[in-house]
Amino acid sequence: MKQVVLRVGGKPVERVQQRGKRLTLEEYLKYDDRTDNQYELVAGELVAMPPESPKNVQISLFLLVNFLKFVPFNRLSNKVEIIVAGSRATTRIPDLVVLTDELAAALEGATRSTITLDMPPPALVLEVVSPGKANADRDYRYKRSEYAARGIAEYWIADPQRNVVTVLILVDGFYEETRFAGNTAIASTIFPELQLTAEQILNAGESNVGDAIS
């Protein structure tokens, strides 16, 4: 096994290659290095994901708490992985996922929280952008096309560096984006009753959180 350590946004990201070849999806799903490391598979390359910053965790948990006002607990996950491509096997682990009723039913009894290509897509995924160009490119460019191709109706990008929340809504196979900043209320087709501003989301865990979820 060959290990190559890169740095993305100042954090080490480890690419693990077995015997100089890319992994198939089947090999990835069976992969176990007997550690607690979390991996994504990107075009066949095994990529170790570094722990999220406290800020990113706060934002995703803040939204999870607010989404619970509108959906059952079993339709929310911050651990599920999504297979987004089959020919050059790629999986993603979003910071937060909202499942449809049909997808929640498809995952019942599964031994691994993996949304396969034959399952319905999630209703919504959220990514919180970490510092660095590579992280921004991954969330704004690559995952945008992957999630659209996977048929995910709504994709949120919370970006603490740019102080903006981007909501992408799938229309005829492509995302139409709206950016929200400051005290502008977020507009969502999945959660039309949601009353949160971009500032409240990006400052999750700080002084305005109590007001936002009271």
Side-chain angles (χ1 to χ4, degrees):
M1 177 184 294
K2 180 181 179 182
Q3 295 183 335
V4 182
V5 179
L6 309 175
R7 299 194 71 84
V8 177
K11 298 185 293 186
V13 174
E14 195 173 81
R15 291 181 179 269
V16 182
Q17 297 174 318
Q18 289 191 321
R19 295 181 293 278
K21 71 180 185 65
R22 296 178 184 271
L23 299 183
T24 66
L25 183 59
E26 291 73 19
E27 289 171 330
Y28 164 75
L29 293 175
K30 294 177 182 177
Y31 181 79
D32 182 6
D33 61 1
R34 302 184 185 279
T35 72
D36 293 329
N37 293 336
Q38 190 173 49
Y39 298 96
E40 288 184 340
L41 189 67
V42 181
E45 291 190 58
L46 197 63
V47 180
M49 306 305 293
E52 294 285 350
S53 69
K55 179 72 172 181
N56 286 22
V57 172
Q58 288 171 359
I59 290 173
S60 59
L61 289 179
F62 175 75
L63 282 168
L64 185 150
V65 169
N66 278 274
F67 288 168
L68 279 172
K69 298 176 182 178
F70 309 106
V71 298
F73 183 78
N74 69 343
R75 282 183 52 194
L76 291 167
S77 177
N78 59 359
K79 293 293 184 181
V80 70
E81 66 182 343
I82 307 170
I83 299 173
V84 294
S87 57
R88 298 186 67 187
T90 298
T91 66
R92 296 298 186 183
I93 306 174
D95 292 302
L96 186 62
V97 177
V98 180
L99 311 177
T100 63
D101 289 336
E102 295 79 11
L103 180 53
L107 285 169
E108 283 184 5
T111 58
R112 179 177 177 136
S113 295
T114 301
I115 300 172
T116 57
L117 292 174
D118 60 343
M119 292 181 182
L124 181 152
V125 295
L126 163 77
E127 299 285 4
V128 184
V129 184
S130 296
K133 183 179 184 301
N135 291 312
D137 284 346
R138 184 171 60 248
D139 290 339
Y140 281 103
R141 296 176 57 193
Y142 307 127
K143 291 182 182 178
R144 176 175 179 150
S145 60
E146 291 165 355
Y147 291 158
R150 189 63 181 82
I152 299 172
E154 203 158 303
Y155 172 31
W156 290 27
I157 306 171
D159 192 336
Q161 287 68 240
R162 302 181 188 181
N163 289 313
V164 64
V165 176
T166 303
V167 174
L168 300 112
I169 297 173
L170 194 65
V171 178
D172 295 330
F174 297 93
Y175 281 130
E176 295 183 354
E177 74 171 56
T178 306
R179 296 194 173 191
F180 301 91
N183 291 319
T184 305
I186 300 295
S188 167
T189 57
I190 305 297
F191 297 109
E193 310 94 339
L194 188 68
Q195 296 183 346
L196 287 177
T197 66
E199 184 177 22
Q200 287 173 323
I201 292 172
L202 296 169
N203 290 332
E206 298 180 9
S207 60
N208 65 349
V209 172
D211 296 334
I213 65 175
S214 61

